[in-house]
Amino acid sequence: EEYYPELKRINPAKALKPLLTCNRPNLRAKACNALGYLVKHSGQFYEALHQEGVVAALVTLCGDADTSCRKLASFAVGNCAFHNAMLYQGLSPSIPLLLLLLDDSDERTRANAAGAIGNLVRNSGELCASMVEHRVCQALLRLVGSRLPRPSAGPKELATFLSDSSIKIALFSLGNLAMHRQCREVLLSTSFTHDLCLSLPAVADADHEFCIYGQRVLQKLKS
């Protein structure tokens, strides 16, 4: 934080904005990464991102044709939503794009998208109606459930499941969604939510993050 005053003076958001729309994918991706790290530890730069029109550009890049751009734009969007709800309205158009990224072939992209969704309900419930409209709860459940190992799964399949960061983050984000009535009602409307969370101890140790986050979802559903 000792460098924040100088960073505010040079306004990196303004400097990086042109790179977000340039025709070189590697530069677009690097600009997304830089902005994501700029707001990773503090919301002090949220106002600058809003004023410079950077938020809308980051949202658009979640649907970029380039894999790295999508991955790093979703990383930046998630961090823009983490500290407070100031940018939520500007970030709301990212919801359908993040939903698509939950099915991305890249694990880190899926994880970033799942984390961004959780952060978009972390600080308030103002986007819950949009989450329900776009069936986000169902998509997160599908991300986890579709990767759940079969009962006959071997060690390799189990290891792949347990090392998938997108599953862990999807479960945590489901817990965030379950804090809000609208989303909680969706999760409670299907027995799959409980069945999925209760099935996790069969494939992971009780102290594994998957089981801990699954129990967190169940606890939030009782609120």
Side-chain angles (χ1 to χ4, degrees), residues 138-150:
Q138 293 91 330
L140 289 172
L141 289 170
R142 186 170 62 248
L143 187 159
V144 179
S146 65
R147 290 168 174 79
L148 197 67
R150 300 161 298 165

Side-chain angles (χ1 to χ4, degrees), residues 6-24:
E6 183 62 16
L7 283 171
K8 287 182 177 180
R9 186 188 68 80
I10 64 176
N11 195 1
K14 183 177 182 178
L16 290 166
K17 183 183 177 182
L19 298 180
L20 296 173
T21 54
C22 75
N23 59 6
R24 295 175 60 182

